[in-house]
Amino acid sequence: EIKRKRIMRLFICSAEEIIRREGLDKLTIRKVADATGYSSATIYSYFEDLDELTLYASLRYRKEYLIEMSQQITDSMSALEQFRTYYLIHCEYIFHLPNIYMNLFFGRHSQRIAQIKKIFYDLFPEDYVQQTDLIREMFNQEQWIDADRYLARHLANANYIKKENADIVAELAVRVQETFLYEFCIHPNKSISKQIDAFMKLLDHIIATN
């Protein structure tokens, strides 16, 4: 078990290093194999495919993201302030690294994130961030979208939107986010500040109409 964890860490750290140095689109199983001295077949005995290895490596980018979430979103805020602050921080991070976060939130293995996060934090306990109760409750769910649902239902309980529309608001927010991320992946030179402003205007419109 100790050897298995050590080797998994090695593969994930190597993948992360290649991503940071060359970019996500340059990551291959062969490059990880060459960097670690193991065969490609050995890597495939630990990870289903390159996408799964990439997802583990992408989780290493979330530490600063979670720290800022816990620092900036406080219990003293209104539900609306918490909702908007979450998306402002969220957009700032994901638009700077669109390929990483597209894979993390919408990639092939993202639906298995609860299981993968459990394994990841067992491998990288140093990456675990002490979170506020609100942030921990948001992200300790089965799917990524559950964080959006949690905040949208909190918004509904505070009467900013209709309770029956809370999950719709979360779904719309996620789909708009996915569209913006995709645009950044194919047009990486777009203005981040302008795109955040455009996203927040759409988000405010979604809230106002629900």
Side-chain angles (χ1 to χ4, degrees):
E1 181 66 12
I2 293 173
K3 180 182 178 182
R4 183 188 70 81
K5 289 181 180 180
R6 178 179 60 81
I7 295 174
M8 283 189 74
R9 276 184 62 107
L10 178 64
F11 291 149
I12 293 166
C13 289
S14 177
E16 181 200 5
E17 184 179 337
I18 293 168
I19 291 169
R20 291 187 186 274
R21 185 176 65 245
E22 302 180 30
L24 182 61
D25 59 327
K26 302 296 184 183
L27 180 65
T28 66
I29 290 292
R30 170 48 57 193
K31 286 184 178 180
V32 176
D34 290 344
T36 59
Y38 285 89
S39 68
S40 296
T42 301
I43 297 174
Y44 281 117
S45 70
Y46 285 86
F47 303 94
E48 183 176 325
D49 52 27
L50 178 62
D51 289 337
E52 186 181 34
L53 174 57
T54 302
L55 182 54
Y56 276 96
S58 298
L59 279 168
R60 301 222 69 195
Y61 287 81
R62 291 186 73 242
K63 187 173 184 177
E64 293 79 11
Y65 169 100
L66 289 172
I67 289 172
E68 187 159 359
M69 287 287 184
S70 286
Q71 290 175 341
Q72 299 296 327
I73 302 175
T74 65
D75 291 337
S76 62
M77 288 178 167
S78 69
L80 182 59
E81 288 174 322
Q82 290 174 340
F83 191 82
R84 295 189 84 260
T85 301
Y86 164 74
Y87 281 104
L88 281 168
I89 296 170
H90 186 69
C91 287
E92 183 68 28
Y93 276 86
I94 70 174
F95 292 167
H96 271 100
L97 293 168
N99 290 302
I100 293 293
Y101 283 98
M102 176 62 85
N103 177 70
L104 193 59
F105 294 131
F106 304 107
R108 183 180 171 197
H109 295 285
S110 59
Q111 297 301 309
R112 296 172 45 228
I113 195 60
Q115 172 196 0
I116 288 173
K117 281 198 300 182
K118 184 177 180 180
I119 296 170
F120 175 83
Y121 285 119
D122 188 41
L123 294 170
F124 296 95
E126 68 273 20
D127 278 19
Y128 183 78
V129 174
Q130 287 297 114
Q131 302 160 33
T132 61
D133 291 342
L134 174 65
I135 301 302
R136 186 169 53 252
E137 186 66 26
M138 281 169 55
F139 289 111
N140 285 358
Q141 308 285 333
E142 287 298 313
Q143 303 295 332
W144 291 122
I145 194 175
D146 290 332
D148 303 83
R149 290 183 180 132
Y150 181 89
L151 278 179
R153 290 169 184 171
H154 191 42
L155 204 62
N157 289 335
N159 297 316
Y160 286 101
I161 59 175
K162 296 177 182 177
K163 289 185 178 181
E164 62 268 26
N165 290 348
D167 286 359
I168 295 173
V169 167
E171 182 75 23
L172 286 170
V174 168
R175 294 307 162 206
V176 172
Q177 170 197 141
E178 184 177 11
T179 299
F180 273 69
L181 259 182
Y182 175 74
E183 288 180 356
F184 266 105
C185 289
I186 60 176
H187 301 293
N189 296 322
K190 292 174 80 72
S191 167
I192 292 176
S193 61
K194 288 182 179 179
Q195 291 299 92
I196 291 176
D197 287 344
F199 178 89
M200 294 305 296
K201 284 179 182 178
L202 283 172
L203 190 68
D204 287 338
H205 181 73
I206 290 168
I207 295 169
T209 55
N210 282 277

